[in-house]
Amino acid sequence: MRAFTAVFVVFLVAGCQSVETTKGGTVGVDRQQRMAVSSEEVNAGAQKAYAQMMAEAQKKNALDRDAAQVARVKNIVSRLVPQTTTFRDDATKWPWEVHVVSIDDVNAWCMPHGKMAVYTGLIQKLNVTDDELAAVMGHEIAHALREHSREQVSQQAITQTGIGIVGAIFGVGQLGQGVANAVADVTLFKPKSRGMETEADRIGVELAARAGYDPRAAVGLWQKMAKVGGGQPPQWLSTHPSHESRIADLQAYAERVMPLYQAAKSGGAAAGR
Ligand SMILES: [Zn+2]
């Protein structure tokens, strides 16, 4: 997987624009984002990188090996995805996909346009409950809804405009591979800003609550993660929000979305919004 580190990245830099990728929801995430690369380009890159990575996993006999595990993960995702309409009108139409990959790392991710993976290391080492798995996947889905990878790629593109112009002499095929590598690289390996992590935490608990998963499970989950963090901390722990402030924020926001969880559990319409 480390082979995806981009060495030479080529972008079609289409000028900078400020966008708001999501609606606020109950948790009220609200921040203008600077984008220099189109969603279409980034999503195509994600699609390509994801297909390559899953083919590679298949070749190593590391793809979806445990049918019960896969069914469990798919079921959770299928409950979370309909809740994305709270934040974006287009997201339920995305080509959502999730696979369980046999890798020992405690990790999960969602690439742009809903291409997800959960590693067996996360499921086994943390012995996750369904509520906890929903917390992880809700967090990762939130990164995709907020188009954080596109934002990160945009930041790279802005600083590499010279390379982009030179790179334009290459054919479309090569261009596509460069973007695919860059999207995979930022999604899997590049730390996200503190602000991005906080946004994903808050949107994540709301997605979980609306899907009928106890949002308070996020708190215990991150505490478990901190314990196994050890030598190779997962991406979401390697970035800024200090552990204590993150836990405090999660507790506050889990509390805020509890009525949504209770409404989902009782089968009624979601309270408030
Ligand atoms: Zn994250």
Side-chain angles (χ1 to χ4, degrees), residues 139-140 143 192 197 200 235-236 246:
H139 175 96
E140 298 306 326
H143 278 310
K192 290 181 167 56
E197 290 306 335
Q235 171 195 322
W236 49 68
R246 179 168 220 169

PDB file of all heavy atoms in Angstrom, residues 139-140 143 192 197 200 235-236 246, ligand 1:
ATOM      1  N   HIS A 139     -17.180   8.371  10.851  1.00  0.00           N
ATOM      2  CA  HIS A 139     -16.081   9.343  10.812  1.00  0.00           C
ATOM      3  C   HIS A 139     -15.440   9.373   9.418  1.00  0.00           C
ATOM      4  O   HIS A 139     -15.217  10.443   8.842  1.00  0.00           O
ATOM      5  CB  HIS A 139     -15.044   8.957  11.874  1.00  0.00           C
ATOM      6  CG  HIS A 139     -13.801   9.797  11.871  1.00  0.00           C
ATOM      7  ND1 HIS A 139     -13.627  10.875  12.714  1.00  0.00           N
ATOM      8  CD2 HIS A 139     -12.680   9.727  11.119  1.00  0.00           C
ATOM      9  CE1 HIS A 139     -12.438  11.425  12.471  1.00  0.00           C
ATOM     10  NE2 HIS A 139     -11.841  10.741  11.509  1.00  0.00           N
ATOM     11  N   GLU A 140     -15.184   8.200   8.865  1.00  0.00           N
ATOM     12  CA  GLU A 140     -14.526   8.144   7.552  1.00  0.00           C
ATOM     13  C   GLU A 140     -15.453   8.658   6.451  1.00  0.00           C
ATOM     14  O   GLU A 140     -15.031   9.361   5.534  1.00  0.00           O
ATOM     15  CB  GLU A 140     -14.061   6.711   7.253  1.00  0.00           C
ATOM     16  CG  GLU A 140     -13.035   6.168   8.244  1.00  0.00           C
ATOM     17  CD  GLU A 140     -11.815   7.063   8.416  1.00  0.00           C
ATOM     18  OE1 GLU A 140     -11.400   7.703   7.435  1.00  0.00           O
ATOM     19  OE2 GLU A 140     -11.278   7.140   9.535  1.00  0.00           O
ATOM     20  N   HIS A 143     -15.373  12.392   6.323  1.00  0.00           N
ATOM     21  CA  HIS A 143     -14.238  12.957   5.565  1.00  0.00           C
ATOM     22  C   HIS A 143     -14.594  13.029   4.080  1.00  0.00           C
ATOM     23  O   HIS A 143     -14.270  14.005   3.402  1.00  0.00           O
ATOM     24  CB  HIS A 143     -12.995  12.075   5.726  1.00  0.00           C
ATOM     25  CG  HIS A 143     -12.206  12.307   6.983  1.00  0.00           C
ATOM     26  ND1 HIS A 143     -11.801  13.560   7.396  1.00  0.00           N
ATOM     27  CD2 HIS A 143     -11.727  11.441   7.913  1.00  0.00           C
ATOM     28  CE1 HIS A 143     -11.100  13.452   8.530  1.00  0.00           C
ATOM     29  NE2 HIS A 143     -11.058  12.177   8.859  1.00  0.00           N
ATOM     30  N   LYS A 192      -4.545  14.738   8.315  1.00  0.00           N
ATOM     31  CA  LYS A 192      -5.492  15.804   8.053  1.00  0.00           C
ATOM     32  C   LYS A 192      -5.363  16.849   9.162  1.00  0.00           C
ATOM     33  O   LYS A 192      -4.837  16.560  10.230  1.00  0.00           O
ATOM     34  CB  LYS A 192      -6.907  15.238   7.990  1.00  0.00           C
ATOM     35  CG  LYS A 192      -7.088  14.390   6.748  1.00  0.00           C
ATOM     36  CD  LYS A 192      -8.466  13.803   6.593  1.00  0.00           C
ATOM     37  CE  LYS A 192      -8.648  13.252   5.190  1.00  0.00           C
ATOM     38  NZ  LYS A 192      -7.604  12.259   4.829  1.00  0.00           N
ATOM     39  N   GLU A 197     -10.344  16.839  11.269  1.00  0.00           N
ATOM     40  CA  GLU A 197     -10.646  15.712  12.163  1.00  0.00           C
ATOM     41  C   GLU A 197     -11.856  16.016  13.051  1.00  0.00           C
ATOM     42  O   GLU A 197     -12.709  15.159  13.288  1.00  0.00           O
ATOM     43  CB  GLU A 197      -9.424  15.360  13.024  1.00  0.00           C
ATOM     44  CG  GLU A 197      -8.276  14.731  12.254  1.00  0.00           C
ATOM     45  CD  GLU A 197      -8.673  13.500  11.453  1.00  0.00           C
ATOM     46  OE1 GLU A 197      -9.671  12.827  11.807  1.00  0.00           O
ATOM     47  OE2 GLU A 197      -7.998  13.208  10.454  1.00  0.00           O
ATOM     48  N   ALA A 200     -14.981  15.668  11.016  1.00  0.00           N
ATOM     49  CA  ALA A 200     -15.323  14.257  10.786  1.00  0.00           C
ATOM     50  C   ALA A 200     -15.870  13.613  12.060  1.00  0.00           C
ATOM     51  O   ALA A 200     -16.802  12.811  12.007  1.00  0.00           O
ATOM     52  CB  ALA A 200     -14.105  13.496  10.271  1.00  0.00           C
ATOM     53  N   GLN A 235      -3.984   6.937  11.265  1.00  0.00           N
ATOM     54  CA  GLN A 235      -4.027   8.302  10.739  1.00  0.00           C
ATOM     55  C   GLN A 235      -4.793   9.266  11.651  1.00  0.00           C
ATOM     56  O   GLN A 235      -4.358  10.364  11.925  1.00  0.00           O
ATOM     57  CB  GLN A 235      -4.677   8.214   9.363  1.00  0.00           C
ATOM     58  CG  GLN A 235      -5.032   9.512   8.701  1.00  0.00           C
ATOM     59  CD  GLN A 235      -5.973   9.242   7.544  1.00  0.00           C
ATOM     60  OE1 GLN A 235      -5.828   8.264   6.850  1.00  0.00           O
ATOM     61  NE2 GLN A 235      -6.937  10.086   7.342  1.00  0.00           N
ATOM     62  N   TRP A 236      -5.939   8.818  12.151  1.00  0.00           N
ATOM     63  CA  TRP A 236      -6.785   9.748  12.895  1.00  0.00           C
ATOM     64  C   TRP A 236      -6.235  10.076  14.274  1.00  0.00           C
ATOM     65  O   TRP A 236      -6.689  10.968  14.934  1.00  0.00           O
ATOM     66  CB  TRP A 236      -8.210   9.238  13.002  1.00  0.00           C
ATOM     67  CG  TRP A 236      -8.270   7.814  13.467  1.00  0.00           C
ATOM     68  CD1 TRP A 236      -7.934   7.338  14.683  1.00  0.00           C
ATOM     69  CD2 TRP A 236      -8.668   6.700  12.689  1.00  0.00           C
ATOM     70  NE1 TRP A 236      -8.092   5.991  14.720  1.00  0.00           N
ATOM     71  CE2 TRP A 236      -8.554   5.568  13.517  1.00  0.00           C
ATOM     72  CE3 TRP A 236      -9.130   6.543  11.370  1.00  0.00           C
ATOM     73  CZ2 TRP A 236      -8.872   4.292  13.071  1.00  0.00           C
ATOM     74  CZ3 TRP A 236      -9.443   5.271  10.947  1.00  0.00           C
ATOM     75  CH2 TRP A 236      -9.313   4.169  11.776  1.00  0.00           C
ATOM     76  N   ARG A 246     -10.108  15.924  22.167  1.00  0.00           N
ATOM     77  CA  ARG A 246     -10.914  15.175  21.218  1.00  0.00           C
ATOM     78  C   ARG A 246     -12.017  14.397  21.933  1.00  0.00           C
ATOM     79  O   ARG A 246     -13.173  14.386  21.506  1.00  0.00           O
ATOM     80  CB  ARG A 246     -10.018  14.205  20.456  1.00  0.00           C
ATOM     81  CG  ARG A 246     -10.793  13.377  19.486  1.00  0.00           C
ATOM     82  CD  ARG A 246      -9.892  12.640  18.541  1.00  0.00           C
ATOM     83  NE  ARG A 246     -10.454  12.655  17.212  1.00  0.00           N
ATOM     84  CZ  ARG A 246      -9.790  12.280  16.130  1.00  0.00           C
ATOM     85  NH1 ARG A 246      -8.542  11.927  16.223  1.00  0.00           N
ATOM     86  NH2 ARG A 246     -10.380  12.290  14.965  1.00  0.00           N
TER      87      ARG A 246
HETATM   88 ZN    ZN B   1     -10.122  11.260  10.426  1.00  0.00          ZN
END
